[in-house]
Amino acid sequence: MSAFVTGGPNLPLTGERTVPGLPEENYWFRRHEVVYQRLAERCAGRDVLEAGCGEGYGADLIADVARRVIGLDYDESAVAHVRARYPRVEMRHGNLASLPLSDGEVDVVVNFQVIEHLWDQGQFVAECLRVLRPGGVLLMSTPNRITFSPGRDTPVNPFHTRELNAAELIELLTAEGFRMERMCGVFHGARLRDLDARHGGSIIDAQITRALADAPWPADLLADVASVRADDFDLADAADRDIDDSLDLVAIAVRP
């Protein structure tokens, strides 16, 4: 989910993707960036597909360590943008329900903050299994339904079709043949907890309230949001913290 601003320096913000370089968008960008940073080592020296790469900053980060990075997106404007801005990424246009790759073409599939937008989630996961080599890894993140849309039958973000909790995500992946290696969660670190307290208990709610008001942001809120860095988030194993309290779920699953 993005903070509901209307434009960006390179691609327009639609609510479906996060882009770097906007102060109002910085919290969401950093919340996504931390997962790329912490899991990039799983891509080292490998052939990687980022399915639903959006603006492309994550695929480019992965290209620092991977042998090959294929980016895929359904949005033609995003495809053109990535090709122009991130030449290390081999960009393709296609539908995630029918990945334009051959069987066993890649070692890693990265899918961050995308599954919640898809109508046929099972079909996409089956496609991930197909394009992975034996022993290949699926890295997936998604908002935690319990904390992202609490108490709602439908997602708070109108661009989301189905949000998941940890148990539902595990069921989705294992039903299509994956073996779960690890489930993690993204949490606010100490500095963000301080900012939560400063902004009425939730810096997330403060951002959404101001954005929906369609008015200029208070200077203190904008400064605090712009100051957020990836290191302000914690990525913790489900064995160490209650996964149901996490902001985002991060799954690592293996093709047998």
Side-chain angles (χ1 to χ4, degrees):
M1 179 179 181
S2 79
F4 302 89
V5 291
T6 58
N10 302 294
L11 283 174
L13 285 176
T14 65
E16 291 187 277
R17 63 176 167 242
T18 296
V19 304
L22 276 177
E24 297 91 343
E25 182 73 2
N26 185 60
Y27 169 88
W28 301 101
F29 168 64
R30 300 301 181 183
R31 181 164 147 180
H32 297 177
E33 183 186 39
V34 65
V35 182
Y36 285 102
Q37 291 181 350
R38 303 290 176 85
L39 296 187
E41 64 179 357
R42 300 300 298 259
C43 303
R46 297 183 174 182
D47 297 331
V48 180
L49 166 69
E50 184 173 13
C53 67
E55 195 274 342
Y57 65 87
D60 189 61
L61 186 153
I62 292 168
D64 287 339
V65 299
R67 176 170 54 199
R68 175 192 186 201
V69 179
I70 301 168
L72 178 68
D73 206 274
Y74 188 70
D75 186 330
E76 292 184 352
S77 65
V79 172
H81 171 82
V82 175
R83 285 174 175 164
R85 183 166 184 177
Y86 303 113
R88 297 187 298 177
V89 179
E90 180 185 321
M91 194 61 195
R92 301 184 187 180
H93 176 254
N95 192 326
L96 271 63
S98 181
L99 298 175
L101 281 77
S102 59
D103 295 357
E105 186 171 342
V106 294
D107 304 298
V108 182
V109 174
V110 172
N111 182 246
F112 292 162
Q113 304 294 320
V114 173
I115 190 75
E116 67 275 5
H117 295 274
L118 304 182
W119 288 104
D120 195 339
Q121 296 176 342
Q123 172 64 22
F124 168 66
V125 174
E127 280 289 279
C128 293
L129 190 80
R130 178 184 66 79
V131 303
L132 280 167
R133 295 166 184 147
V137 178
L138 172 62
L139 307 176
M140 180 177 287
S141 74
T142 189
N144 178 10
R145 176 174 61 80
I146 294 172
T147 58
F148 201 81
S149 298
R152 292 176 57 98
D153 294 329
T154 57
V156 66
N157 187 324
F159 293 101
H160 291 182
T161 60
R162 179 195 177 207
E163 295 171 357
L164 304 160
N165 63 27
E168 292 162 343
L169 180 55
I170 291 171
E171 180 181 8
L172 174 67
L173 298 178
T174 56
E176 299 301 334
F178 279 96
R179 173 179 60 82
M180 287 300 302
E181 177 182 311
R182 188 181 177 198
M183 177 67 73
C184 302
V186 175
F187 299 83
H188 279 180
R191 182 170 176 273
L192 276 167
R193 292 194 297 271
D194 289 343
L195 292 181
D196 281 332
R198 179 175 175 179
H199 294 282
S202 171
I203 194 171
I204 299 171
D205 290 347
Q207 292 176 78
I208 293 173
T209 297
R210 296 310 307 170
L212 291 177
D214 193 25
W217 287 38
D220 61 338
L221 175 61
L222 185 58
D224 284 344
V225 168
S227 75
V228 173
R229 296 293 176 261
D231 287 346
D232 292 327
F233 295 90
D234 293 336
L235 184 63
D237 194 280
D240 300 323
R241 294 185 67 170
D242 187 346
I243 197 68
D244 288 342
D245 291 337
S246 66
L247 300 167
D248 298 316
L249 304 169
V250 181
I252 302 175
V254 179
R255 178 190 170 178

